[in-house]
């Protein structure tokens, strides 16, 4: 099995019992720095496609954006929120990791949303 390199954000006010309902996530990308690590495909217990409501990064404006994302539940019970607005989305990256293909990155560096915000 392979792994996927992800940058994840701390979710604001999420109830563990709601995992699997594809509820929207709220993150503060303006003030919170993402955590980055490699997650082994065996460590992903489940994931769901969601919409992320986030404060716009790299600005002090009070703007909110909605971006595609995934909520990942790890085998140790933690929930991670990842921006998923890219060609190699999380589902494809997991398929590639399970097939022992190259390591894929799901990070803000490969996110069109984050790239346009940096301009």
């Amino acid at each position: 099995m392979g792994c996927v390199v992800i940058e994840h954000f701390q979710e604001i006010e999420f109830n563990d019992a709601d995992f699997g309902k594809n509820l929207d996530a709220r993150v503060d990308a303006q003030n919170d720095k993402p955590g980055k690590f490699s997650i082994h495909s065996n460590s992903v217990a489940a994931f769901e496609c969601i919409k992320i409501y986030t404060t716009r990064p790299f600005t002090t404006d009070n703007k909110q954006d909605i971006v595609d994302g995934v909520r990942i539940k790890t085998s140790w019970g933690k929930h991670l929120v990842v921006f998923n607005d890219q060609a190699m989305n999380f589902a494809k990256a997991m398929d590639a990791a399970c097939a022992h293909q190259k390591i894929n990155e799901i990070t803000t560096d490969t996110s069109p949303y984050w790239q346009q915000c940096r301009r």
Side-chain angles (χ1 to χ4, degrees):
M1 296 288 181
C3 66
V4 179
V5 177
I6 61 169
E7 274 185 319
H8 63 92
F9 285 81
Q10 185 68 32
E11 188 169 3
I12 300 168
E13 299 178 10
F14 179 72
N15 183 347
D16 287 347
D18 289 331
F19 187 87
K21 296 179 181 176
N22 299 80
L23 298 177
D24 298 335
R26 291 189 174 17
V27 301
D28 185 1
Q30 191 175 86
N31 298 306
D32 291 346
K33 300 288 185 224
K36 185 173 183 177
F37 68 91
S38 298
I39 187 165
H40 194 278
S41 55
N42 283 344
S43 298
V44 177
F47 68 93
E48 59 185 352
C49 295
I50 58 171
K51 293 289 183 189
I52 300 173
Y53 286 75
T54 181
T55 53
R56 187 171 295 171
F58 310 116
T59 181
T60 56
D61 293 344
N62 190 15
K63 298 197 181 203
Q64 183 173 337
D65 295 316
I66 304 171
V67 186
D68 289 334
V70 291
R71 182 181 289 117
I72 303 165
K73 185 173 190 174
T74 65
S75 58
W76 60 92
K78 186 171 174 103
H79 294 99
L80 311 171
V81 173
V82 178
F83 285 83
N84 200 36
D85 64 325
Q86 35 209 305
M88 177 59 79
N89 65 28
F90 188 75
K92 290 178 186 175
M94 279 294 293
D95 287 343
C98 290
H100 299 286
Q101 295 177 5
K102 69 180 183 110
I103 295 172
N104 296 293
E105 289 197 14
I106 307 296
T107 67
T108 57
D109 292 335
T110 56
S111 164
Y113 170 74
W114 278 78
Q115 295 309 309
Q116 61 111 24
C117 286
R118 284 188 173 111
R119 292 183 201 145

